[in-house]
Amino acid sequence: MIGKSLYDIIINENTSSQKGVAWYCKVGGEWIIYPSEVGKKLEDSYLQKRRLKFSLDNKEYEIDFSASVLRQVNTKTKYRRKVRRQNGNDVKSTPSFWEEHPVGSNFAAITISETSAELKCMEKQTIISFELLFCIKKIVRIQNVSLWEYFTFRKERMTKLSGGKEPNIVSVWHGTRDLDPMIICKDVQDGFMMQYSQRGTWGRGIYFAECAEYSNRYAYINNDGSRTMILAELLSGEEIELDPDKNLIHCPPKPAGNMRYDTVTGKSNGSKIYTVYENGRAYPRYLVTYKPRC
């Protein structure tokens, strides 16, 4: 599942000159925190938007904090590494495979190369089954910091309410009909919004499908005739399968206690359907643009 490939970094509030701020450098695929004395220099230079030269492990490095994308450069070898600033004692990191955002930017849409390792590592069954039916034109990774933070907040809350058990995460499809899906992807507050949902087979909720063929009927149609759907991460949590009920406005209660189930599921036209009744439960991970095979 998608959730298995993502990770969180917890900030140590005493690692830099400003409480709750920490600086990281990406080494060998992992984000490594700078020593506190270096972190202080980085933070001071960041606030002043100036170039900084510093020593670490008997090597000389340089970072230009006036640049839109921050890189640590070895002054001798010119080797460059990604640098990240985290602000807030409880801030969690964005996924490690994301590209750097320009300083102060919340959103980026990154086209995935056909030869990239990321594409090969995507849920194979999801993409293989999709390509049997459709011809993929483009896959765009959505990097929305605000929506990702909301998604991880929801995940943490569900974990807490379930006594420490992390919620199940599934890859699901969502069609937006006449709404440009980029509007959901660029939103800074909610992304998928319950408030705009209409009553469906399982009531008034946000619907997702396991099978792309099902969501294809709800896909957004572009000017050139191609179609676009969202491949999302959904915090499905504890599910309950129900018969159709158009009067649902939330999940039913569990047999014992005061808690409700997290997600209502059911079957429709050969696909498993997921219905949630809360915002923040899904993150729009990719936009997939395609055409039906002739």
Side-chain angles (χ1 to χ4, degrees):
M1 294 182 183
I2 289 175
K4 298 296 184 180
S5 65
L6 305 178
Y7 72 100
D8 295 323
I9 299 175
I10 301 176
I11 299 293
N12 180 338
E13 67 177 77
N14 297 316
T15 55
S16 73
S17 59
Q18 182 178 334
K19 185 177 180 180
V21 174
W23 284 91
Y24 295 82
C25 181
K26 195 168 189 179
V27 181
E30 296 186 7
W31 288 100
I32 307 299
I33 193 169
Y34 282 99
S36 58
E37 65 275 10
V38 176
K40 181 180 183 303
K41 294 178 181 178
L42 267 59
E43 180 65 15
D44 292 342
S45 298
Y46 167 79
L47 295 174
Q48 298 177 40
K49 301 299 180 186
R50 61 181 174 82
R51 189 182 299 270
L52 172 70
K53 291 185 178 181
F54 61 97
S55 299
L56 186 63
D57 297 330
N58 297 318
K59 296 178 181 178
E60 298 294 324
Y61 299 100
E62 184 178 53
I63 300 176
D64 183 3
F65 287 96
S66 66
S68 59
V69 175
L70 302 181
R71 298 273 191 172
Q72 172 188 279
V73 180
N74 185 308
T75 57
K76 182 177 181 180
T77 66
K78 303 303 179 183
Y79 189 82
R80 300 155 66 88
R81 294 188 186 276
K82 298 178 181 179
V83 175
R84 169 181 286 167
R85 179 182 188 263
Q86 295 287 4
N87 186 3
N89 296 339
D90 59 353
V91 172
K92 305 295 183 291
S93 76
T94 52
S96 60
F97 51 82
W98 280 19
E99 301 294 329
E100 307 102 315
H101 284 221
V103 175
S105 173
N106 177 74
F107 178 84
I110 310 297
T111 300
I112 305 302
S113 168
E114 294 181 1
T115 59
S116 70
E118 179 180 355
L119 184 58
K120 295 177 182 178
C121 291
M122 289 173 68
E123 265 67 25
K124 292 184 178 180
Q125 290 302 323
T126 299
I127 298 302
I128 290 176
S129 62
F130 189 93
E131 289 185 322
L132 292 175
L133 301 168
F134 310 110
C135 179
I136 297 176
K137 293 187 63 179
K138 182 171 64 173
I139 299 178
V140 175
R141 183 201 313 127
I142 300 303
Q143 299 184 178
N144 186 316
V145 177
S146 295
L147 292 188
W148 182 255
E149 289 176 351
Y150 189 23
F151 182 75
T152 56
F153 165 77
R154 278 291 190 181
K155 180 181 178 182
E156 291 169 355
R157 186 171 186 271
M158 292 173 70
T159 300
K160 182 178 180 179
L161 291 175
S162 64
K165 180 182 178 182
E166 288 196 356
N168 187 39
I169 301 176
V170 292
S171 298
V172 287
W173 296 95
H174 181 83
T176 60
R177 297 184 188 246
D178 297 328
L179 178 69
D180 185 342
M182 190 60 79
I183 294 176
I184 293 176
C185 296
K186 285 186 174 181
D187 188 29
V188 297
Q189 290 184 290
D190 296 288
F192 297 100
M193 292 186 66
M194 173 71 184
Q195 290 84 343
Y196 290 102
S197 298
Q198 299 179 359
R199 182 177 294 183
T201 306
W202 285 274
R204 187 165 176 258
I206 308 173
Y207 286 74
F208 301 89
E210 184 176 66
C211 298
E213 185 177 13
Y214 179 91
S215 292
N216 174 56
R217 70 189 69 185
Y218 304 104
Y220 178 76
I221 301 178
N222 301 294
N223 292 334
D224 64 356
S226 64
R227 299 182 173 211
T228 299
M229 290 193 297
I230 297 174
L231 179 57
E233 290 186 0
L234 174 68
L235 296 166
S236 63
E238 194 166 351
E239 306 168 8
I240 181 170
E241 185 173 353
L242 296 179
D243 292 330
D245 182 352
K246 292 187 176 181
N247 294 317
L248 287 172
I249 57 174
H250 57 68
C251 293
K254 298 177 184 178
N258 299 319
M259 299 297 295
R260 293 191 295 267
Y261 288 95
D262 299 308
T263 303
V264 168
T265 65
K267 293 288 186 180
S268 180
N269 293 315
S271 177
K272 182 177 181 179
I273 306 300
Y274 298 81
T275 310
V276 297
Y277 306 89
E278 303 171 297
N279 295 349
R281 291 280 301 282
Y283 178 81
R285 188 180 185 188
Y286 296 102
L287 279 182
V288 181
T289 299
Y290 62 96
K291 283 189 174 181
R293 290 193 179 277
C294 299

